[in-house]
Amino acid sequence: MPRFSLIVPCFKVQGFLRECLDSVLGQSFGDFELIAVDDRSPDGCGAILAEYAARDPRVRVLHLPENVGLGRARNAGLPHATGDYLFFLDSDDTLTPGALRAVADRLAEAEDPDVLVFDYARTYWWGGTRRNVLAPVLAEAPAVFTVAEYPRILDLLMVVWNKVYRREFVAENGFAFPPGYYEDTPWTFPVMLSARRIAALDRICLNYRQRRQGNILSTTSRKHFDIHDQYERVFAFVAERPELAQWRPYLHRKMGEHCLDILAKPDRLPPADKAEFFRRTAEMFRRHRPAGAPVDGEVAVLEGSWTGYRLKRQAARAGREAARRAERVRHAAGGRARAGWAAVHAHRPLDEHLVVYSASSHRGLLGDPAAVHAAAREIAPQLRGVWVVRDAETVARLPPGTEHVIVGSRRYLEVTARAKFFVNDVNWPGSLAKRPGSVHIHTHQGTPLKYVGADLLDKPGARLGFDVPQMLRRADRWDYSLVANRHSELVWERAYPCHFTSVRTGSPRNDVLVNGAAGDFRERHGIPADHTVVLYAPTRRDYRRGGHVERIDLARFAADLGEGHTLVVRLHPSLATGPARGMGLAELARRRVVVDATDEPGTADVLLAADVLVTDYSSVMFDYAVLDRPIVVHADDWSAFRASRGTYLDITAEPPGHVSTSYRELAWLLASGAWRDEESTRLRADFRARFCEYDDGRAAERVVRTLLLGESAPGPQPVRIPGQAAAPDSLTSA
């Protein structure tokens, strides 16, 4: 008996069917059967299914004699299912890599619940991907529950394909799909209300394809009137079960909201039929209204007439347009006021002791600027440091006593108009005017492997949405560019053809690594002292929209490392809020299979905790090399990465350690101990000599003394390399 029975109805999806089937058959978890139902499809679906069945015994095909529709096609597959759990997969959707393994593991952990609800992402025809916005409902769910214990679960999209169902539970209750559109409604509500044990999985297991054309529910038709019959079935189910009577008010409101949503969509109902749809919805709403149930909010319109509904919709549209016009007026007036406020302070003298800091687009005390700020507080307490942050949420994360302003505020305009010094690792907003006499210090964000700045002009994919000329106009404000090695010095001057002076200071953020500070990362995350910590830090890909490509099966990697090892994962910051963590990282971290360090504010703490770094092409390797600990470069897509982004060196030819070009090679390097052999040591020594050249643990002090105070720093003096022009206070023309 297999663990899963996947039932896949097929009708007019020949262009998508192979991708769907491959996503199932390529799963790392193979204990399943796939029951494909050819719903008398007029295209090539039947032949494709026959081809797959001939080469994989897990695939069985049912050819229906006539087209019966999605719901009844699923019903046709049910009697043939023998698995512990039923999985209804639409034939234009796909499973994500590792999905079945993650579902199986969660089912075992929850001791075989009746229903398991998992997460999904919408994948759009134009290439975009968006995770379900209600994913926190899954993340915050109890271990096992009923809808009465956790009603928020009903806020999720009530469809059949984001769940698996215990087959015996379905059989005991006689659940089946009705004919018509919206067939998921009278399946999902009865199933969820009847389930004694429900579990949730905070992982994207399915890609829900958003087709440009061909989606049944986006077809204009009177078939959308089927929604009324489907809710009648739901109400009948509840009426036969007195123990579910408490859910009648919820279902009553849900029905009203669902029908109004269909009515409001421009592509669902023929215009001539909308009045009839409203009247039938209103009649059904009144007929099923429970005694004492409130009728307010959006559904209140169903107590009135079709004319009243139309007038309210027109008034709402007019109100939204008026609000947009008012917002434009307020924005323009606010811009004039802010410009006037800035002009007032621009006539006051610069404050010679005021230093304004920002890092990572105003995300808080991070990176090189934070290290310079800390050194300035110790060495030059007369300097007043003010941080620019993006919003109140960032303010809440600042250390106590940190002076700050929110970007765009009046206080921001005041301090940026008066400050003598500016320290940042990315460019300041274009609206910030550089006053004569002010000093802009640019720290960058690490040693560059990938193309940056003007070098991106020849890489259209990598610079998608990135205005290079505008970026260079902002970089014209730089007075000093910090350099950690001569490689970086050459790159910055090539990639940023601007008027700045390169200063060989080293990387301030790496001082803590050179000086061997002890972090508390292991203790905070409960990592045993005798464990070998493997840090996996992948970067983003420019050849994939969204930047995320799943290169390694993290669960398999953690398992292959074996006892005595802890796998720590730190995603690229640009992937932290996207779907990348929902592809398994969040769930694996919850189960303590891995440690997710993506949100750790200080990269140094994570690096200090690691015994070996596994990365692909992330610049974190240059920082980690300061620690003189082993590095493995996993370069299985090097050609694609280099072609799409461009690189300043061939990291596979000049690596900081061993290079793997497949997962098998990577696993062998870690298992055999080759990751720390003599060859690894030799490669790392050459790499460190080249790229850790100026990192001696005093970079921040050097910046403070030489650039902020105008003094001489102890030890080797930083070499200043003048830029292409000797006019640091003037801007180049656009």
Side-chain angles (χ1 to χ4, degrees):
M1 179 184 296
R3 189 59 165 160
F4 298 108
S5 293
L6 290 99
I7 299 177
V8 185
C10 306
F11 182 74
K12 296 176 70 173
V13 288
Q14 63 178 7
F16 308 109
L17 183 55
R18 291 182 185 277
E19 186 179 0
C20 172
L21 298 175
D22 289 343
S23 77
V24 177
L25 300 177
Q27 290 286 309
S28 59
F29 183 89
D31 188 16
F32 63 83
E33 61 182 2
L34 193 157
I35 302 168
V37 183
D38 175 13
D39 190 17
R40 195 65 175 175
S41 185
D43 58 6
C45 285
I48 293 172
L49 294 176
E51 172 194 331
Y52 275 77
R55 69 173 189 240
D56 196 314
R58 295 173 297 180
V59 179
R60 286 188 290 161
V61 182
L62 304 178
H63 296 282
L64 302 186
E66 61 179 355
N67 177 251
V68 297
L70 182 57
R72 287 190 286 186
R74 289 171 178 157
N75 290 342
L78 276 172
H80 300 271
T82 62
D84 297 330
Y85 280 86
L86 302 172
F87 193 140
F88 298 98
L89 177 65
D90 287 352
S91 49
D92 55 352
D93 296 337
T94 57
L95 298 186
T96 60
L100 290 185
R101 167 61 66 188
V103 172
D105 289 346
R106 183 71 184 99
L107 289 172
E109 181 185 40
E111 298 180 343
D112 286 3
D114 296 329
V115 180
L116 174 68
V117 187
F118 53 78
D119 202 11
Y120 66 93
R122 297 175 187 266
T123 57
Y124 295 87
W125 61 270
W126 42 265
T129 299
R130 182 168 63 88
R131 187 179 186 182
N132 167 29
V133 296
L134 294 176
V137 172
L138 297 171
E140 297 163 12
V144 180
F145 55 91
T146 64
V147 291
E149 294 165 338
Y150 190 61
R152 288 180 62 198
I153 198 69
L154 296 179
D155 293 340
L156 298 176
L157 194 62
M158 284 292 103
V159 290
V160 66
W161 43 257
N162 64 348
K163 307 171 184 71
V164 294
Y165 314 85
R166 190 166 58 84
R167 185 169 58 87
E168 291 182 358
F169 163 71
V170 170
E172 290 166 1
N173 287 273
F175 294 127
F177 293 93
Y181 281 15
Y182 305 101
E183 75 291 333
D184 286 5
T185 299
W187 167 282
T188 308
F189 282 118
V191 164
M192 294 298 286
L193 296 178
S194 301
R196 300 282 186 180
R197 302 179 72 251
I198 303 170
L201 174 60
D202 178 25
R203 186 196 194 275
I204 298 172
C205 296
L206 181 140
N207 287 320
Y208 175 32
R209 189 186 301 274
Q210 306 294 288
R211 294 159 65 177
R212 184 172 181 268
Q213 294 180 345
N215 186 306
I216 292 176
L217 292 185
S218 295
T219 304
T220 302
S221 166
R222 280 187 61 87
K223 288 289 290 179
H224 292 284
F225 279 77
D226 288 353
I227 189 65
H228 300 122
D229 291 338
Q230 307 297 22
Y231 271 102
E232 289 288 5
R233 293 183 171 97
V234 174
F235 289 130
F237 179 87
V238 172
E240 294 171 358
R241 292 162 177 79
E243 69 275 12
L244 300 180
Q246 61 174 316
W247 293 104
R248 289 184 60 208
Y250 168 83
L251 294 169
H252 174 254
R253 176 175 288 272
K254 189 71 174 179
M255 180 274 294
E257 293 172 347
H258 196 167
C259 291
L260 288 173
D261 181 63
I262 294 169
L263 184 61
K265 284 184 165 54
D267 59 352
R268 299 292 174 91
L269 295 160
D273 295 326
K274 289 190 173 184
E276 179 188 353
F277 186 90
F278 177 87
R279 287 192 290 270
R280 287 183 57 178
T281 299
E283 188 279 326
M284 185 177 178
F285 188 77
R286 288 190 293 269
R287 179 159 41 86
H288 286 287
R289 179 182 177 184
V295 178
D296 51 16
E298 178 187 2
V299 297
V301 296
L302 293 172
E303 294 283 278
S305 65
W306 164 245
T307 300
Y309 168 80
R310 292 182 62 195
L311 291 173
K312 186 168 184 178
R313 292 271 299 172
Q314 292 168 2
R317 283 195 294 269
R320 287 193 296 269
E321 180 56 33
R324 282 194 291 268
R325 288 196 299 269
E327 179 60 27
R328 286 196 292 268
V329 170
R330 284 194 297 271
H331 182 75
R336 290 192 295 270
R338 287 191 294 271
W341 185 260
V344 169
H345 291 284
H347 287 90
R348 299 173 62 187
L350 294 178
D351 185 339
E352 297 290 327
H353 295 97
L354 179 56
V355 187
V356 178
Y357 298 92
S358 180
S360 300
S361 299
H362 318 309
R363 287 186 170 87
L365 273 68
L366 302 169
D368 290 315
V372 173
H373 176 240
R377 293 183 66 177
E378 180 179 343
I379 298 168
Q382 71 273 25
L383 295 178
R384 174 188 168 206
V386 180
W387 279 85
V388 177
V389 294
R390 61 196 309 180
D391 49 31
E393 183 178 342
T394 308
V395 170
R397 296 195 298 267
L398 295 177
T402 303
E403 188 173 357
H404 62 273
V405 294
I406 294 178
V407 64
S409 66
R410 283 193 171 190
R411 289 278 298 130
Y412 164 81
L413 296 173
E414 178 183 344
V415 299
T416 55
R418 298 287 316 283
K420 170 72 172 182
F421 300 101
F422 292 80
V423 182
N424 203 342
D425 59 4
V426 296
N427 270 316
W428 293 97
S431 58
L432 191 153
K434 185 179 191 301
R435 292 184 62 184
S438 64
V439 177
H440 283 239
I441 301 168
H442 195 78
T443 72
H444 302 282
Q445 289 187 313
T447 295
L449 170 64
K450 302 167 281 193
Y451 274 9
V452 294
D455 289 331
L456 291 174
L457 288 170
D458 194 38
K459 297 293 179 182
R463 62 177 171 84
L464 181 65
F466 182 60
D467 188 334
V468 174
Q470 181 189 72
M471 180 275 300
L472 293 178
R473 287 193 291 272
R474 295 180 179 185
D476 283 333
R477 295 173 295 198
W478 302 354
D479 292 293
Y480 297 109
S481 167
L482 303 192
V483 170
N485 47 66
R486 272 173 278 200
H487 163 81
S488 297
E489 183 179 299
L490 295 174
V491 168
W492 302 146
E493 294 191 7
R494 162 183 160 165
Y496 302 106
C498 305
H499 304 308
F500 59 80
T501 295
S502 295
V503 188
R504 297 174 178 175
T505 58
S507 296
R509 70 182 180 282
N510 286 343
D511 289 347
V512 66
L513 303 181
V514 177
N515 296 325
D520 63 349
F521 180 87
R522 287 186 180 230
E523 181 181 352
R524 285 189 289 109
H525 290 277
I527 300 173
D530 60 344
H531 269 215
T532 298
V533 173
V534 179
L535 171 60
Y536 175 51
T539 193
R540 62 178 291 117
R541 265 58 173 181
D542 293 291
Y543 61 75
R544 176 70 60 85
R545 186 185 293 271
H548 176 64
V549 179
E550 195 89 358
R551 305 308 308 175
I552 292 177
D553 183 335
L554 296 178
R556 179 182 177 186
F557 190 26
D560 287 346
L561 289 175
E563 293 293 328
H565 293 76
T566 295
L567 178 61
V568 176
V569 181
R570 185 174 177 87
L571 297 178
H572 189 276
S574 66
L575 303 176
T577 58
R581 293 166 92 171
M583 296 294 286
L585 177 56
E587 172 64 10
L588 292 173
R590 182 194 66 80
R591 291 169 43 211
R592 298 292 300 167
V593 175
V594 304
V595 174
D596 181 5
T598 304
D599 288 336
E600 285 288 321
T603 305
D605 284 346
V606 185
L607 299 184
L608 286 166
D611 296 298
V612 55
L613 170 67
V614 176
T615 187
D616 35 41
Y617 325 114
S618 171
S619 64
V620 75
M621 74 176 78
F622 298 97
D623 296 337
Y624 191 74
V626 171
L627 292 170
D628 197 18
R629 298 177 189 174
I631 301 172
V632 175
V633 175
H634 185 54
D636 65 335
D637 64 341
W638 173 243
S639 297
F641 181 88
R642 195 174 194 185
S644 61
R645 178 61 189 251
T647 61
Y648 294 110
L649 66 145
D650 184 349
I651 200 64
T652 64
E654 305 171 84
H658 288 294
V659 177
S660 59
T661 58
S662 67
Y663 177 76
R664 183 176 181 180
E665 290 181 6
L666 175 63
W668 178 84
L669 283 170
L670 272 297
S672 66
W675 57 276
R676 54 185 172 188
D677 62 11
E678 290 184 5
E679 177 66 6
S680 169
T681 302
R682 183 190 67 78
L683 291 169
R684 187 168 69 254
D686 293 343
F687 191 84
R688 293 181 72 248
R690 181 177 179 185
F691 297 109
C692 304
E693 189 174 3
Y694 307 133
D695 282 328
D696 62 356
R698 307 190 72 172
E701 178 186 5
R702 200 171 286 125
V703 172
V704 172
R705 293 195 183 278
T706 62
L707 302 185
L708 299 185
L709 299 179
E711 302 174 351
S712 295
Q717 296 299 299
V719 178
R720 304 189 185 200
I721 310 297
Q724 301 174 22
D729 288 336
S730 62
L731 302 183
T732 59
S733 58

